Amino acid sequence: MRGGISGMIRRAGKALCEAVFPAVCECCGASLVRGEKLLCLQCQYDMPRTGCHRDSFSDIHKRIAAPGVPVERAAAMFHYVKESRYALLIQRAKYNDRPSIVRHLAGMFARELEAEHFFEGVDMLLPVPLHRRKLLRRGFNQSEEIAMAISTVTSIPVGDNLKSLPHSTQTRKNAMERAANMNGTICVTDPEELAGLHVLIVDDVITTGATLLAAAKAIRASSPTTRISVLTLAASKLLY
């Protein structure tokens, strides 16, 4: 609880600083003009979009393909290239205690996807869970922040049905190691709540797809009638 309170205090301090100092673009540092928020129009235009939500079987589908675990729709806002100015947006949000960054990006993306009917028929948003120890250290779950921003745009409720079990970090692991590390580390707390629903699993970044696949497997195993789609803010290149 202490970690969560300290996080709230830090965020309040940052909000005060933002009110005092002029807002600048998070990508290029240019001063924002009226109507711009977080990113200037040029950086929004230059963002390396994936457009994968328009593909019936995209690169994301391929990463999380598994027997008996059908994934219907998949979306990712932009390509995640390490150390790029857009990848730094995700890193600042997660490690510099700035969840407002991913909330803003998720809101932008949700409005775009809603115009293309991506959310049609989706009954619930399920953020990828964060283990309680990591949640206490960080003060927030970035996937939940993304899901809440999408919910604000779409009015689709956010569920808390996924639980994370202890596992080591995915950082610096290759594709096979990530898959093995995540196997069986996510469980469903109330399968009956998901029966017959179309759920959208939400995360910040997809790399190998191990985390999303673990969540999808847990849902499918506990509730076979649940339909599954996935959404992330960013999609990185596969690690081998």
Side-chain angles (χ1 to χ4, degrees), residues 19-136:
V20 174
F21 298 103
V24 297
C25 175
E26 285 289 340
C27 279
C28 70
S31 296
L32 297 179
V33 300
R34 184 181 297 274
E36 294 178 339
K37 187 174 182 181
L38 189 75
L39 302 176
C40 67
L41 289 177
Q42 186 62 53
C43 287
Q44 290 183 46
Y45 178 80
D46 292 339
M47 180 179 283
R49 299 303 193 100
T50 72
C52 66
H53 59 279
R54 301 186 183 98
D55 299 331
S56 59
F57 193 70
S58 67
D59 178 64
I60 293 180
H61 284 99
K62 295 173 186 175
R63 298 188 200 194
I64 53 180
V69 188
V71 172
E72 299 191 11
R73 305 171 201 166
M77 188 178 193
F78 60 90
H79 293 288
Y80 186 98
V81 180
K82 191 176 181 181
E83 304 307 327
S84 75
R85 54 183 175 167
Y86 297 100
L88 289 175
L89 292 173
I90 303 290
Q91 295 168 24
R92 287 174 193 151
K94 290 172 68 170
Y95 306 121
N96 292 358
D97 196 25
R98 299 184 61 193
S100 61
I101 292 177
V102 290
R103 286 200 299 267
H104 181 75
L105 292 173
M108 286 175 54
F109 195 33
R111 286 187 287 275
E112 294 168 5
L113 292 177
E114 188 172 47
E116 297 189 42
H117 309 290
F118 178 84
F119 300 106
E120 192 170 303
V122 174
D123 301 298
M124 184 180 292
L125 307 173
L126 287 180
V128 167
L130 203 60
H131 190 265
R132 62 180 179 275
R133 287 196 297 269
K134 187 175 287 188
L135 182 61
L136 285 172

Side-chain angles (χ1 to χ4, degrees), residues 67-205:
V69 188
V71 172
E72 299 191 11
R73 305 171 201 166
M77 188 178 193
F78 60 90
H79 293 288
Y80 186 98
V81 180
K82 191 176 181 181
E83 304 307 327
S84 75
R85 54 183 175 167
Y86 297 100
L88 289 175
L89 292 173
I90 303 290
Q91 295 168 24
R92 287 174 193 151
K94 290 172 68 170
Y95 306 121
N96 292 358
D97 196 25
R98 299 184 61 193
S100 61
I101 292 177
V102 290
R103 286 200 299 267
H104 181 75
L105 292 173
M108 286 175 54
F109 195 33
R111 286 187 287 275
E112 294 168 5
L113 292 177
E114 188 172 47
E116 297 189 42
H117 309 290
F118 178 84
F119 300 106
E120 192 170 303
V122 174
D123 301 298
M124 184 180 292
L125 307 173
L126 287 180
V128 167
L130 203 60
H131 190 265
R132 62 180 179 275
R133 287 196 297 269
K134 187 175 287 188
L135 182 61
L136 285 172
R137 287 198 304 270
R138 189 172 296 170
F140 65 95
N141 176 357
Q142 67 277 5
S143 299
E144 185 175 9
E145 298 287 340
I146 294 167
M148 292 297 292
I150 294 171
S151 179
T152 298
V153 173
T154 64
S155 298
I156 300 172
V158 178
D160 59 355
N161 217 309
L162 299 181
K163 179 181 178 182
S164 176
L165 303 176
H167 62 278
S168 61
T169 180
Q170 293 285 77
T171 306
R172 298 188 180 89
K173 287 182 170 63
N174 61 31
M176 291 183 64
E177 291 169 340
R178 284 172 176 250
N181 186 50
M182 288 304 300
N183 190 35
T185 59
I186 296 179
C187 65
V188 174
T189 58
D190 185 4
E192 293 184 359
E193 182 183 59
L194 303 183
L197 299 185
H198 184 178
V199 301
L200 181 68
I201 306 173
V202 177
D203 204 1
D204 58 345
V205 181

